Amino acid sequence: GVYAHADTRRARDGGPINDHGSSLLISLSAKHALPPAGLARITWHRVVNDEDLDTDVILLGFGWNFQRLWEP
């Protein structure tokens, strides 16, 4: 996908510098069922651009499936 970014910072003369653009966003995700009704998911996001600002974000989440808990 596309990651759009915008940044405003102060220049040496005190005025604003507006920096904006877009980068490539690559994501990979995996999910695993945990007994009896739990879920675990890990997602890795990689932002790739032409500057030296590549970024990795790793998210780990846990959840509960109530419907699966009460099924016979």
Side-chain angles (χ1 to χ4, degrees), residues 35-57:
L39 301 168
R41 178 179 295 273
I42 186 167
T43 305
W44 170 54
H45 301 285
R46 173 82 172 177
V47 178
V48 182
N49 57 33
D50 55 353
E51 300 173 15
D52 192 23
L53 298 172
D54 292 351
T55 304
D56 291 308
V57 178

Side-chain angles (χ1 to χ4, degrees), residues 2-41:
V2 177
Y3 173 76
H5 57 87
D7 186 23
T8 301
R9 60 184 185 274
R10 190 172 308 277
R12 291 181 189 202
D13 64 0
I17 297 175
N18 293 317
D19 180 23
H20 59 278
S22 60
S23 301
L24 177 65
L25 177 64
I26 301 168
S27 299
L28 182 66
S29 185
K31 179 179 79 167
H32 181 69
L34 303 170
L39 301 168
R41 178 179 295 273

